Amino acid sequence: MVKKLILLLPLLALPACSDPTTDDQAPDDTAFNGVWTCPMCPGVASPTPALCPKCSMHLIGTRTELTWQCLAHPVIVRGDEGLCPICERALKPVAMAVVFRCADHEDVRELAAGACPRCDFPLEESLEALPHGDHNPRHGGQFFMAPDNWHHLEGAMPSPGELRVHIYDDFTRPLPADRASGRVELGGDGEDDALRIALGPSSGGEYLVATLPAELAAFPVEVTAFIEFTRSPGEEHRFDFRFEAPSVEEGARAGAIEAIAQERGAPDTAPEDLSGFSSAELVERLGKEADEVARLIGERSWEKLYAPAMAAKDVALELGRDARLRELGGARRDLERAVRDVVRGAWLIELHGDAGNGERVGESRVVFDRGVAVLRSAGSTTR
């Protein structure tokens, strides 16, 4: 049942981009059972044929696919349920668009299979995030889509009486608390009797928070939130929450990384805290680990690849934090893709190295080296 519902999310939730009837040449593909996306503007999608609001091109019918993704490590995408190999969190269902890309020309993106227009090599099938394709709560709460068809929000009550409202965009990316304001109401038989409590930003500004009176904080708790988004001032939206028990955020399983390390024969040590290093130092360290990976591959020492590959993966994940990306500068999208390439490539190198498959190790190294090169280049400008 969940697969059917997730695949229908884009159809039910996405707003039309614009009215296609202004162009008599609109394609007659109204029977397509999927979403329509823009061939030029990634992230633009519609449940019906329309014109792209950015470039005015006709949107093209695009196949969607249900995938299972780690919310903490989005680079981990699989075709079925399971656990993330990095943190062992349960993978969550996410609807994604099927696109086709060139392995050598990252700017080439097509919505149908074929050859790269620049090098004539066959395009590889790939997956791309869709707006409204991910409706999974991040904090163990209740997840809703706002009536404006763009915002999402999650209400969570991690402890009795503390209501947190997390705000997201259409790709379920967190937004700061100052993007919304509101209040909560609870108790009473009518609007005049309800107790009203303001929602204010948390100390770090990550979410809105309200503290309920102790006498009304016992579970189950029913509370109504009225939210106004800065994107649409003057429009207030109502959300009704009921909490049967405290909201529990899923975390990495205790000892997950250590267990994987023991299974692979690596030293039994916890991941190193990299937060104290500068971004430039991290990039330099990434380069050294990458050089060690290259040396071991040259020597065909497959059994020794785990340590430097996983160390490079950890450094890349640290560089992928928002503050690090801002410090590196450059095109954020390119940097995020580079982090994903390093993480994905590192895991594949270790996986195929463990199986002694030198050919697949070499293929995985192409992805790994591509990401390392971008991050090294960005790091050189921060020194």
Side-chain angles (χ1 to χ4, degrees):
M1 183 64 177
V2 66
K3 293 189 176 183
K4 183 176 181 181
L5 290 175
I6 292 295
L7 286 172
L8 287 176
L9 273 175
L11 295 175
L12 297 175
L14 287 169
C17 291
S18 62
D19 184 359
T21 59
T22 58
D23 190 332
D24 293 336
Q25 302 302 314
D28 183 18
D29 54 358
T30 55
F32 177 70
N33 185 24
V35 297
W36 280 258
T37 65
C38 179
M40 298 297 296
C41 307
V44 173
S46 167
T48 58
L51 300 179
C52 175
K54 295 182 179 180
C55 68
S56 298
M57 290 186 65
H58 286 295
L59 302 186
I60 296 176
T62 304
R63 179 162 58 94
T64 61
E65 185 173 314
L66 177 70
T67 65
W68 296 84
Q69 186 176 45
C70 176
L71 302 185
H73 304 101
V75 69
I76 303 299
V77 179
R78 294 187 172 173
D80 210 343
E81 299 178 71
L83 300 178
C84 172
I86 300 177
C87 64
E88 287 201 340
R89 290 178 173 89
L91 303 181
K92 302 297 182 181
V94 175
M96 305 185 80
V98 178
V99 299
F100 298 85
R101 295 184 179 276
C102 177
D104 295 325
H105 301 101
E106 295 185 2
D107 58 321
V108 174
R109 169 185 172 273
E110 303 289 344
L111 299 182
C116 173
R118 294 173 59 184
C119 66
D120 208 35
F121 276 91
L123 298 177
E124 298 178 358
E125 185 174 304
S126 182
L127 294 172
E128 185 176 274
L130 277 171
H132 303 284
D134 176 7
H135 281 183
N136 296 289
R138 268 50 176 174
H139 304 281
Q142 298 172 31
F143 192 96
F144 297 131
M145 186 176 75
D148 64 6
N149 284 330
W150 192 84
H151 287 94
H152 298 84
L153 82 164
E154 178 184 359
M157 190 167 285
S159 59
E162 182 185 5
L163 175 68
R164 298 179 180 180
V165 178
H166 300 265
I167 310 297
Y168 307 96
D169 68 4
D170 54 340
F171 283 89
T172 318
R173 293 174 295 206
L175 296 174
D178 61 8
R179 300 294 181 87
S181 60
R183 68 184 191 282
V184 297
E185 294 187 1
L186 69 165
D189 298 324
E191 292 187 3
D192 294 337
D193 301 325
L195 175 64
R196 294 176 174 83
I197 303 173
L199 278 163
S202 62
S203 58
E206 302 98 336
Y207 51 83
L208 296 171
V209 62
T211 302
L212 312 184
E215 64 272 16
L216 299 175
F219 292 104
V221 178
E222 292 186 1
V223 59
T224 299
F226 294 89
I227 304 295
E228 179 180 321
F229 301 106
T230 55
R231 185 183 172 101
S232 52
E235 297 182 21
E236 188 177 66
H237 305 292
R238 171 177 176 147
F239 304 92
D240 294 306
F241 299 101
R242 177 180 173 85
F243 300 99
E244 299 288 346
S247 305
V248 179
E249 182 174 349
E250 181 181 7
R253 293 192 179 186
I257 303 300
E258 292 83 349
I260 295 174
Q262 289 178 358
E263 179 183 345
R264 299 297 193 217
D268 182 15
T269 57
E272 182 181 359
D273 182 7
L274 301 172
S275 60
F277 293 89
S278 70
S279 295
E281 290 172 332
L282 289 173
V283 171
E284 183 178 358
R285 184 163 180 169
L286 174 65
K288 291 180 179 178
E289 300 295 352
D291 291 343
E292 179 66 6
V293 168
R295 185 185 70 81
L296 293 173
I297 290 176
E299 295 177 355
R300 303 177 68 83
S301 300
W302 315 127
E303 74 284 356
K304 299 179 181 179
L305 282 171
Y306 178 88
M310 292 300 99
K313 177 266 301 179
D314 290 339
V315 173
L317 289 173
E318 177 65 28
L319 286 169
R321 298 181 185 276
D322 285 342
R324 299 290 193 183
L325 293 176
R326 289 194 297 270
E327 187 176 351
L328 287 175
R332 184 183 180 92
R333 181 180 175 187
D334 292 342
L335 294 174
E336 290 176 339
R337 183 187 294 116
V339 169
R340 291 195 297 269
D341 282 346
V342 173
V343 173
R344 178 170 177 264
W347 276 109
L348 291 175
I349 285 172
E350 195 282 323
L351 175 67
H352 297 308
D354 193 51
N357 190 329
E359 181 179 3
R360 298 301 299 274
V361 168
E363 294 172 355
S364 304
R365 182 185 171 186
V366 172
V367 178
F368 177 79
D369 287 348
R370 183 173 64 200
V372 170
V374 172
L375 293 173
R376 267 180 153 171
S377 177
S380 66
T381 65
T382 64
R383 292 186 175 90

